[in-house]
Amino acid sequence: MPVEEFVAGWISGALGLVLGHPLDTVKVRLQTQTTYRGIIDCVVKTYRQESLLGFFKGMSFPIASIAMVNSVLFGVYSHTLLALTATSHQERRAQPPSFTHVFIAGCTGGFMQEEGPRGLFRGAWALTLRDTPTLGIYFVTYEWLCRQSTQDGQNPSSATVLVAGGSAGIASWAVATPLDVIKSRLQMAGRKPGAYRGVLDCVVSSARQEGLGVFFRGLTINSARAFPVNAVTFLSYEYLLRSWG
């Protein structure tokens, strides 16, 4: 299989991570801590207590791991479409795949991201449940918006890719946020052995203690982060593949 799809996915994932990490820091803190009154309060307290560096804490590991996850996502997605439609990335504007094939390929890419060593990546099942269908929605939204704004057989413009990529990010996070909250809580529970017995126990305990609204904590920040991160991710991915093609 050509490596260009995986390399482009890695580079675009790294660029998206650098852009989105500060908002991701705020999101995780809002989802896992009760000391903040909202997004602005979290931003102000983080800045006052830790300066700008506080927003980039822990980025060294994700810059490698999340970029690699993005590489797997885009690489598997593209090669699944190749298997389903017998068309390469460069040929798909002239012979666009069906949205069913796009959804299947996106789900396959999402499923292949399941996390590594159990102790380090607690919450992997919640991550798999979150990413498998939502990444299908992610790619379908992107493809649909690109096709709506582009003549048949033509490559979408940079502006179209930015808007479609950003909108795809928001659409997928709107569906994914409840399971993202669960994933974050399961991962944070690794510091307190026995806090949750699994995904279902986390759902029930969180709902009992904080109400159903807890599962939508971070939705606003997810949406604010999703648009620029995914716009840049798709633009850089498309640009790299076109320049190499």
Side-chain angles (χ1 to χ4, degrees):
M1 294 190 296
V3 299
E4 288 88 351
E5 307 276 358
F6 292 93
V7 175
W10 194 95
I11 294 172
S12 62
L15 291 173
L17 173 68
V18 172
L19 181 64
H21 194 78
L23 284 173
D24 197 48
T25 298
V26 175
K27 178 203 73 172
V28 172
R29 292 186 179 197
L30 286 171
Q31 288 178 342
T32 58
Q33 300 178 34
T34 58
T35 56
Y36 304 113
R37 295 190 299 273
I39 295 172
I40 301 300
D41 185 50
C42 182
V43 170
V44 171
K45 286 181 178 177
T46 299
Y47 178 75
R48 284 178 178 173
Q49 295 169 11
E50 305 169 55
S51 76
L52 282 175
L53 294 177
F55 296 102
F56 292 92
K57 273 188 175 178
M59 194 174 73
S60 58
F61 179 70
I63 199 71
S65 62
I66 293 180
M68 184 58 68
V69 165
N70 203 71
S71 172
V72 171
L73 169 63
F74 278 84
V76 171
Y77 167 75
S78 185
H79 285 90
T80 301
L81 273 183
L82 178 62
L84 291 171
T85 65
T87 57
S88 67
H89 182 85
Q90 289 79 11
E91 298 169 327
R92 285 177 201 139
R93 294 305 167 196
Q95 305 175 57
S98 69
F99 290 120
T100 299
H101 285 154
V102 171
F103 182 76
I104 292 170
C107 288
T108 303
F111 180 78
M112 292 301 292
Q113 293 178 112
E114 187 171 342
E115 297 283 356
R118 183 177 177 183
L120 180 61
F121 296 104
R122 197 175 299 269
W125 276 112
L127 186 66
T128 303
L129 291 171
R130 185 197 75 182
D131 285 351
T132 300
T134 56
L135 284 169
I137 293 169
Y138 177 67
F139 283 107
V140 166
T141 302
Y142 174 74
E143 283 293 328
W144 183 79
L145 288 172
C146 281
R147 294 181 197 181
Q148 291 296 111
S149 305
T150 308
Q151 292 185 350
D152 292 344
Q154 300 296 312
N155 287 321
S157 67
S158 295
T160 295
V161 171
L162 284 169
V163 173
S167 299
I170 291 176
S172 62
W173 273 114
V175 176
T177 294
L179 278 168
D180 188 55
V181 172
I182 296 167
K183 175 189 72 73
S184 296
R185 292 188 164 216
L186 286 170
Q187 289 174 331
M188 292 297 290
R191 301 176 183 178
K192 304 173 183 177
Y196 300 116
R197 294 189 298 274
V199 174
L200 184 58
D201 184 52
C202 181
V203 171
V204 173
S205 298
S206 298
R208 282 177 178 171
Q209 294 172 15
E210 301 172 63
L212 292 177
V214 68
F215 299 115
F216 296 95
R217 195 175 286 172
L219 178 58
T220 302
I221 195 73
N222 274 337
S223 299
R225 174 185 178 275
F227 192 94
V229 167
N230 289 284
V232 168
T233 297
F234 270 107
L235 182 63
S236 55
Y237 177 76
E238 295 281 1
Y239 175 80
L240 288 168
L241 288 180
R242 288 179 199 173
S243 63
W244 293 338

